[in-house]
Amino acid sequence: MPDDMKSIDVKSAVSAEEWQARVDCAMLYRLTALHGWDDMIFTHISHRVPGPEHHFLINPYGMLFDEITASSLVKVDLEGNIVMDTPYFINPAGFTIHSAIHANREDANVVMHLHTDQGVAVSSQKEGLLPISQTAMIVRADVAYHDYEGVALDLDERERLVADLGPKKHSMLLRNHGTLTCGETAAMTFTRMFFLERACSMQVMALSAGRDGVLECDDDLQGKVAGQGGMTGHSSGMGSLTEKLVWPAMKRKLDRQSPGYDT
């Protein structure tokens, strides 16, 4: 735990439900670092706090993702006001993107946003995510697009971002910017991001030899694979698999390689 949080007993000050949300959110930050998806102190992951207050948790600005703990996460409201004592502050660009989705999508309890090399590369390609890998076809039907408007400091952008994501999609390529996923749980949000980032990486590798030789799958096959993958809904086969098998496996990995996230 960071030294300036040791005197603050956050766990005793919050509900058991909020503490679990904090642990899950801290896991996402640590997993992002472990997979090499972090961007120094930039990009954001947020988790809605259970309850009627419309509060959510986000990273303390300036802390590396592999340093983040459940206690160090900052609790804010939808106006970006910090609502619980903390020595930290937040990045306003992170607040803009995440507050937009949390305020307008009741199913979006968790939101991840990344700036990986591969994700930015594909977001910058006119055709977007191509149906050239099984991984891409599993997520492609669930991917929305949002045009770049500059660093996300303008609150007016929130309305356009939400409109582009729509009421049902859970993944997005932010043009010239990066990737975004959301979901009912940290587990499902992470799994969607894992598939989206891998699909982007595969596409960059495939296109490195030129566009002409790349084999695309037809619409019928894309639909078949998307249905088999089941990434669009939390109650899908992939959702159940994620909660029961993927998330516990990721927790075991963190316990071995990045302990302390749950403090």
Side-chain angles (χ1 to χ4, degrees):
M1 182 183 298
D3 290 341
D4 41 8
M5 288 299 298
K6 288 181 179 178
S7 61
I8 303 175
D9 187 3
V10 175
K11 187 174 183 179
S12 297
V14 301
S15 67
E17 292 78 12
E18 177 175 334
W19 183 251
Q20 186 59 57
R22 285 176 170 273
V23 171
D24 287 344
C25 192
M27 281 183 63
L28 288 175
Y29 279 103
R30 295 292 186 99
L31 286 168
T32 296
L34 206 59
H35 283 84
W37 297 340
D38 49 343
D39 183 14
M40 201 162 61
I41 63 170
F42 304 104
T43 80
H44 320 277
I45 301 163
S46 59
H47 197 306
R48 180 179 283 128
V49 176
E53 296 87 0
H54 299 290
H55 294 161
F56 62 93
L57 306 166
I58 200 164
N59 52 311
Y61 200 23
M63 191 175 290
L64 296 171
F65 283 17
D66 63 0
E67 297 175 321
I68 289 177
T69 65
S71 296
S72 66
L73 291 163
V74 181
K75 184 161 62 171
V76 299
D77 63 19
L78 285 173
E79 283 69 50
N81 302 305
I82 295 174
V83 296
M84 183 175 178
D85 286 344
T86 176
Y88 304 119
F89 60 99
I90 67 169
N91 182 347
F95 164 73
T96 300
I97 292 173
H98 291 250
S99 64
I101 299 172
H102 285 296
N104 290 279
R105 286 279 298 268
E106 285 299 320
D107 63 317
N109 291 322
V110 184
V111 180
M112 291 185 73
H113 168 46
L114 305 179
H115 298 157
T116 67
D117 294 348
Q118 295 84 357
V120 174
V122 173
S123 77
S124 304
Q125 294 171 358
K126 291 181 179 180
E127 295 176 287
L129 188 63
L130 297 170
I132 59 175
S133 68
Q134 174 175 281
T135 307
M137 287 183 282
I138 288 173
V139 299
R140 191 167 180 265
D142 195 40
V143 176
Y145 294 84
H146 175 66
D147 288 339
Y148 187 60
E149 300 187 23
V151 177
L153 297 173
D154 183 359
L155 294 181
D156 290 341
E157 185 179 356
R158 293 188 293 185
E159 182 178 343
R160 293 183 290 277
L161 190 151
V162 169
D164 288 337
L165 184 62
K168 295 182 179 180
K169 293 194 175 183
H170 305 87
S171 303
M172 175 175 272
L173 286 175
L174 301 164
R175 292 294 194 179
N176 310 98
H177 187 175
T179 53
L180 181 145
T181 61
C182 63
E184 293 181 30
T185 65
M188 198 63 197
T189 304
F190 169 78
T191 303
R192 288 189 175 112
M193 184 61 79
F194 182 84
F195 275 76
L196 180 58
E197 284 290 336
R198 288 200 70 210
C200 289
S201 180
M202 293 171 187
Q203 179 164 320
V204 170
M205 294 175 71
L207 294 184
S208 66
R211 182 72 174 83
D212 292 341
V214 175
L215 178 64
E216 291 190 27
C217 296
D218 62 31
D219 291 344
D220 289 342
L221 189 52
Q222 291 178 52
K224 178 181 178 180
V225 176
Q228 292 171 328
M231 292 294 288
T232 57
H234 176 69
S235 60
S236 65
M238 181 60 73
S240 177
L241 181 69
T242 295
E243 302 295 335
K244 294 179 180 178
L245 299 179
V246 173
W247 198 238
M250 292 300 98
K251 184 179 186 303
R252 294 194 302 271
K253 187 171 187 176
L254 285 178
D255 288 341
R256 292 193 305 269
Q257 299 184 29
S258 188
Y261 62 89
D262 54 351
T263 60

